[in-house]
Amino acid sequence: MNLDLSSPSKAVVSVTQLNRDVRMLLETGFPSLWVAGEISNFKRYDSGHCYFSLKDANAQVRCVMFRGRAALLDFAPREGLQVEVRAVVSLYEARGDFQLTIEAMRMAGQGALFERFEALKKQLAAEGLFANERKQALPHFPRRIGIVTSPAAAALRDVLTTLARRMPNIEIILYPTAVQGADAAKQIARAIAQAASRNEVDTLIICRGGGSLEDLWSFNEEIVARAIAACPIPTVSGVGHETDFTMADFVSDVRAPTPTAAAELVSPNRAELLQRLSQLKQRQLRVLQYQLQQRMQQLDQLARRLIHPGQRLSQQKTDLHNQARRLQQAMRFSQQQRTQALARQALQLSYARPNPTLIRPVLQQKQQRLQRAIQRMLEQRQQYLKQAQLQLMPWDPQQVLSRGYALVSRPNGQIVRSALAVRAGDALQVRFADEQISVEVRQGIIQQPELEL
């Protein structure tokens, strides 16, 4: 903001304008930066926004963290907690309060540790230690469960209490180790290797209670991660609270949000199993009772159908007697039916049989009529024949021959119709009205030469 003091009217600005210009100057003049301090006067409103002060030994500054950013935190901010925040320097215009608008928050000292955590996580992931293919399934009914933790840890009491409540008959073997401190990571790895070499448990729980990132750092060491990866026993990681994630969680076969949850994952619920067994027992009893009732009914039905052999023979004898009586009745009825049918047919035939005394005069009359008809027909045919003879008589060859004609033919019967067909030396047959003679031609007809005109 540029103020021109030479003109009094231009130098006068409103408070609103002043605060706005100062806010713009702060937000543009300072980049986003990390600030370390202790949380004081922390309040989270129903809206989800968080308001607090960040202080050190000599100063403090007001801070605001809006709901969207606060929801991304993996821990719960509280009074007196040492944190590091990434913030934008700003000004609350309504009251002119200098404040920091928080964009991210982490536990104090987590920057370097977080970088180490991310680097190791990336390395182990590249080696395949987090791959699902190498994860083992937990046994449904383990006989022994191993626990890698401190004997004085509250997490051990939680796990033992949960296991005793859920399945008290499971044997527990403790592999004691420190879970916090400079040498804790080596002790944890040694305890895991001991459990693997002894191979006396079905499932191994690696657990401890909640704490800061530094408190849980032993479970982020590479030696612990590789010991878990090399363990042939199915492993369950139950380190810290639900929002805490360690390298052990990623390498283990199963990650539990808390030690108590780890105990619940590895142990079947005895009460639920007993209830389930009771339900199965009741169901089986109902099934058996139903089947028994069905078989009893079937037995009763078979018993009703079962008949003594003597009674069966008596029944069959009665049935045979009834069948014989019915057969005799049927035969008599059939004979009666046929007798009646034969009588009806005989009556019908008696009506159809002719009476010779009545029919003989009729037959004689018809015989006389037939003889007269035949006689008339013969006379008519004779008359027709005579007329036909008279009509054919002029065409009779014999009649022609009797008038002086002769019929000339060759020996084979072929008629000679012209003298031109005859040659000297031909043998001919000449038939007269009364006889036939054979002749030989001595001279044929001499043909006259045709005159030329």
Side-chain angles (χ1 to χ4, degrees):
M1 179 181 65
N2 296 323
L3 300 178
D4 187 1
L5 300 179
S6 60
S7 174
S9 61
K10 292 184 178 180
V12 178
V13 295
S14 65
V15 176
T16 301
Q17 183 63 43
L18 175 63
N19 287 352
R20 182 178 296 115
D21 291 342
V22 171
R23 182 182 63 80
M24 295 294 295
L25 183 62
L26 291 173
E27 291 180 355
T28 58
F30 288 88
S32 176
L33 72 165
W34 284 92
V35 181
E38 178 185 337
I39 296 178
S40 176
N41 299 322
F42 180 84
K43 292 183 181 180
R44 184 190 295 268
Y45 288 88
D46 294 339
S47 62
H49 306 320
C50 301
Y51 298 90
F52 58 95
S53 295
L54 199 62
K55 68 179 182 178
D56 57 16
N58 300 315
Q60 67 177 7
V61 62
R62 292 185 177 182
C63 302
V64 58
M65 192 173 194
F66 295 109
R67 178 179 56 190
R69 297 291 183 175
L72 301 177
L73 293 177
D74 57 358
F75 66 97
R78 64 182 183 274
E79 191 78 15
L81 194 64
Q82 293 289 334
V83 295
E84 296 173 353
V85 297
R86 189 179 73 238
V88 175
V89 179
S90 183
L91 182 78
Y92 183 48
E93 297 179 15
R95 290 197 302 265
D97 291 337
F98 174 74
Q99 67 178 18
L100 298 179
T101 303
I102 307 303
E103 295 182 342
M105 181 186 298
R106 67 191 180 195
M107 301 291 291
Q110 286 186 355
L113 291 177
F114 185 75
E115 291 178 0
R116 287 175 55 190
F117 178 84
E118 289 295 327
L120 180 59
K121 180 180 177 183
K122 184 176 181 180
Q123 174 188 347
L124 298 181
E127 295 180 14
L129 268 65
F130 302 161
N132 292 327
E133 292 76 11
R134 58 166 298 277
K135 303 287 186 180
Q136 302 182 71
L138 300 179
H140 294 291
F141 299 96
R143 293 175 297 177
R144 294 189 186 93
I145 295 178
I147 304 175
V148 176
T149 190
S150 172
L156 177 60
R157 292 192 298 272
D158 295 339
V159 171
L160 293 178
T161 302
T162 303
L163 292 177
R165 172 175 53 84
R166 291 175 61 86
M167 189 61 70
N169 62 319
I170 296 180
E171 185 178 352
I172 307 299
I173 298 179
L174 176 64
Y175 301 94
T177 178
V179 293
Q180 185 175 346
D183 196 41
K186 293 182 181 179
Q187 293 187 32
I188 295 171
R190 191 181 305 115
I192 295 173
Q194 182 185 11
S197 63
R198 289 166 59 173
N199 194 24
E200 57 189 351
V201 296
D202 302 318
T203 306
L204 187 64
I205 298 176
I206 304 164
C207 65
R208 70 148 286 164
S212 64
L213 179 61
E214 292 84 354
D215 296 337
L216 303 178
W217 190 254
S218 299
F219 295 89
N220 288 323
E221 295 289 351
E222 182 177 358
I223 186 173
V224 175
R226 294 194 180 278
I228 296 175
C231 183
I233 304 171
T235 56
V236 179
S237 173
V239 179
H241 298 298
E242 187 172 356
T243 57
D244 298 323
F245 282 88
T246 63
M247 206 64 62
D249 295 331
F250 296 109
V251 182
S252 297
D253 296 309
V254 178
R255 185 251 177 186
T258 62
T260 301
E264 292 177 349
L265 285 174
V266 300
S267 62
N269 191 330
R270 182 174 180 271
E272 293 180 356
L273 291 176
L274 291 176
Q275 183 180 3
R276 178 61 176 167
L277 286 175
S278 178
Q279 293 174 353
L280 292 176
K281 179 181 178 181
Q282 295 298 325
R283 183 183 301 175
Q284 187 67 24
L285 287 176
R286 289 194 298 270
V287 172
L288 291 176
Q289 186 177 7
Y290 173 77
Q291 292 181 351
L292 181 60
Q293 293 174 354
Q294 293 293 316
R295 297 298 184 271
M296 292 174 62
Q297 291 181 2
Q298 292 178 1
L299 183 60
D300 292 340
Q301 293 176 359
L302 292 175
R304 286 194 295 269
R305 293 170 55 185
L306 185 62
I307 302 176
H308 190 274
Q311 184 180 358
R312 183 179 295 275
L313 289 175
S314 176
Q315 182 66 37
Q316 291 179 351
K317 182 178 180 180
T318 302
D319 293 342
L320 182 61
H321 178 71
N322 293 334
Q323 295 290 342
R325 186 176 68 255
R326 292 174 58 187
L327 180 60
Q328 292 176 358
Q329 292 176 354
M331 292 178 63
R332 285 196 298 269
F333 179 76
S334 177
Q335 184 177 1
Q336 292 175 0
Q337 293 289 330
R338 287 196 165 86
T339 302
Q340 293 176 2
L342 183 61
R344 287 195 298 269
Q345 292 177 356
L347 181 60
Q348 293 176 358
L349 290 175
S350 65
Y351 293 146
R353 184 173 56 188
N355 189 347
T357 305
L358 299 177
I359 295 175
R360 187 175 294 109
V362 177
L363 289 177
Q364 291 177 355
Q365 294 177 1
K366 290 183 176 180
Q367 182 179 7
Q368 294 175 0
R369 291 173 58 189
L370 180 59
Q371 290 176 353
R372 288 194 296 270
I374 292 173
Q375 185 64 32
R376 287 196 300 271
M377 185 177 295
L378 287 176
E379 292 176 355
Q380 291 177 357
R381 294 294 184 269
Q382 289 177 358
Q383 186 65 30
Y384 292 156
L385 182 58
K386 290 179 180 180
Q387 294 177 0
Q389 289 176 351
L390 293 176
Q391 293 176 358
L392 292 176
M393 188 175 294
W395 305 96
D396 186 6
Q398 190 65 27
Q399 294 295 330
V400 175
L401 292 178
S402 61
R403 291 198 297 271
Y405 293 97
L407 181 65
V408 180
S409 64
R410 295 184 184 279
N412 58 3
Q414 182 181 3
I415 303 300
V416 178
R417 300 179 183 279
S418 173
L420 296 177
V422 179
R423 299 290 186 270
D426 289 347
L428 299 175
Q429 297 289 335
V430 180
R431 181 177 180 78
F432 298 97
D434 54 351
E435 194 60 56
Q436 176 176 312
I437 64 174
S438 298
V439 297
E440 181 180 353
V441 178
R442 294 183 179 180
Q443 182 177 352
I445 297 176
I446 299 176
Q447 296 182 356
Q448 298 294 329
E450 295 182 357
L451 296 177
E452 296 182 1
L453 300 177

